[in-house]
Amino acid sequence: WEWMSQGGGRVDRLSVWVGSLSSKNPRRCIRIGRKKIIASIEGIPSVAQSVSFERPPDFGAWLSIIDPDQRANQPFKRGNLVLIFNGEIYNYRELRASLQKYGAKFETKSDTEVLLESYRKWGKDCVNHFEGMWAFAIYNKSNNHLFLSRDRFGEKPLFYTIRNHVFHFASEPKILDALCATPLEVNIDKVRTYLVNGFRSLFKDGQTFFKGVFELNPASYLTIAEPDKVTPKIYWKPSY
């Protein structure tokens, strides 16, 4: 995903980069604008060269585990909300039943739709209702806000960076390196800290081995109205 701001900090568009990322197929770009969704066949050669996947051509189906029906494919769109989701919500059946009591209507059997409807009902507090592992992003076309979250123990990765007023996020730094106009620089201070203090030092400040690239900490979320204003918030801590 690539979130861009143009002119006075106004958010212009959110782009979701999806595709098979194989050498034989063109990359597919789905741009989600304020008023419409435009699907186009646009290549990102640098991404293709830096990432190699042996996958079927239908990217949306990769993330469909519980419900393989095409209606559950991603990016998952319902009304003014668009979701991209990696993981599994273990208690989705219980949440589905609760949401139906509030009048929610479901078209699939997927936990993806339950996640999205949970956000529609509870907003950012939806994460407190989830049991599972996840990294997801929800774009609200009504207010042009982007919401990202990661599960309590960080089982699913989520990295982000801001370059030239553009907010990028991905599941691994090499995707960010391919999306950014300039190559990522090695964070020498982080490397030095790791060599001196060991593995545990990696998780203290959210920084990574690359300058300007941050990992969203476990049990945290981001609500972004402008790409340059990013303040992660913790939604859960162990009670012991």
Side-chain angles (χ1 to χ4, degrees):
W1 290 47
E2 180 184 79
W3 203 37
M4 303 189 71
S5 173
Q6 297 179 353
R10 179 178 63 83
V11 175
D12 182 67
R13 70 180 184 270
L14 172 74
S15 299
V16 187
W17 301 102
V18 298
S20 60
L21 297 180
S22 70
S23 60
K24 296 181 180 180
N25 296 296
R27 304 315 74 113
R28 291 187 299 170
C29 165
I30 300 179
R31 288 181 178 172
I32 304 171
R34 288 191 171 192
K35 296 182 179 180
K36 59 183 177 180
I37 297 177
I38 304 173
S40 61
I41 305 299
E42 296 184 9
I44 310 179
S46 58
V47 175
Q49 293 170 4
S50 63
V51 184
S52 176
F53 294 104
E54 294 181 0
R55 296 281 188 164
D58 188 356
F59 174 81
W62 302 358
L63 302 177
S64 298
I65 304 299
I66 294 176
D67 185 354
D69 191 286
Q70 289 186 354
R71 295 177 302 172
N73 283 2
Q74 299 183 39
F76 188 84
K77 301 174 285 290
R78 284 293 181 272
N80 63 321
L81 301 178
V82 184
L83 166 68
I84 189 75
F85 164 48
N86 178 26
E88 183 177 350
I89 306 301
Y90 303 145
N91 62 329
Y92 78 97
R93 291 188 178 90
E94 293 81 357
L95 290 174
R96 179 189 178 100
S98 297
L99 291 166
Q100 285 175 326
K101 294 179 180 178
Y102 290 111
K105 305 293 184 181
F106 293 91
E107 300 179 15
T108 74
K109 298 180 180 179
S110 68
D111 58 342
T112 302
E113 188 173 16
V114 171
L115 191 160
L116 193 63
E117 290 302 321
S118 296
Y119 178 80
R120 192 187 305 277
K121 173 61 181 176
W122 295 301
K124 65 179 183 299
D125 293 330
C126 67
V127 294
N128 296 315
H129 295 262
F130 298 152
E131 296 177 9
M133 56 180 180
W134 68 80
F136 69 79
I138 296 176
Y139 174 57
N140 189 327
K141 294 186 285 184
S142 296
N143 57 19
N144 221 35
H145 286 185
L146 182 66
F147 180 79
L148 297 90
S149 175
R150 196 172 174 206
D151 63 79
R152 292 173 180 83
F153 297 100
E155 294 183 68
K156 295 298 181 178
L158 184 53
F159 297 88
Y160 65 90
T161 187
I162 301 173
R163 299 295 177 92
N164 298 320
H165 308 291
V166 181
F167 180 88
H168 305 271
F169 67 94
S171 60
E172 50 186 317
K174 64 181 178 181
I175 303 294
L176 298 177
D177 183 63
L179 287 175
C180 293
T182 57
L184 300 179
E185 296 182 39
V186 174
N187 187 343
I188 298 299
D189 290 337
K190 193 65 176 179
V191 174
R192 184 183 297 112
T193 300
Y194 166 68
L195 293 175
V196 172
N197 298 322
F199 184 73
R200 292 184 180 181
S201 66
L202 297 178
F203 306 100
K204 291 185 177 181
D205 53 13
Q207 295 188 42
T208 67
F209 289 124
F210 300 95
K211 290 183 179 180
V213 175
F214 300 90
E215 183 175 16
L216 184 62
N217 286 328
S220 298
Y221 66 78
L222 289 171
T223 300
I224 311 170
E226 297 181 25
D228 291 324
K229 297 180 180 180
V230 177
T231 305
K233 294 185 178 180
I234 298 174
Y235 64 83
W236 178 85
K237 291 182 179 180
S239 57
Y240 59 84

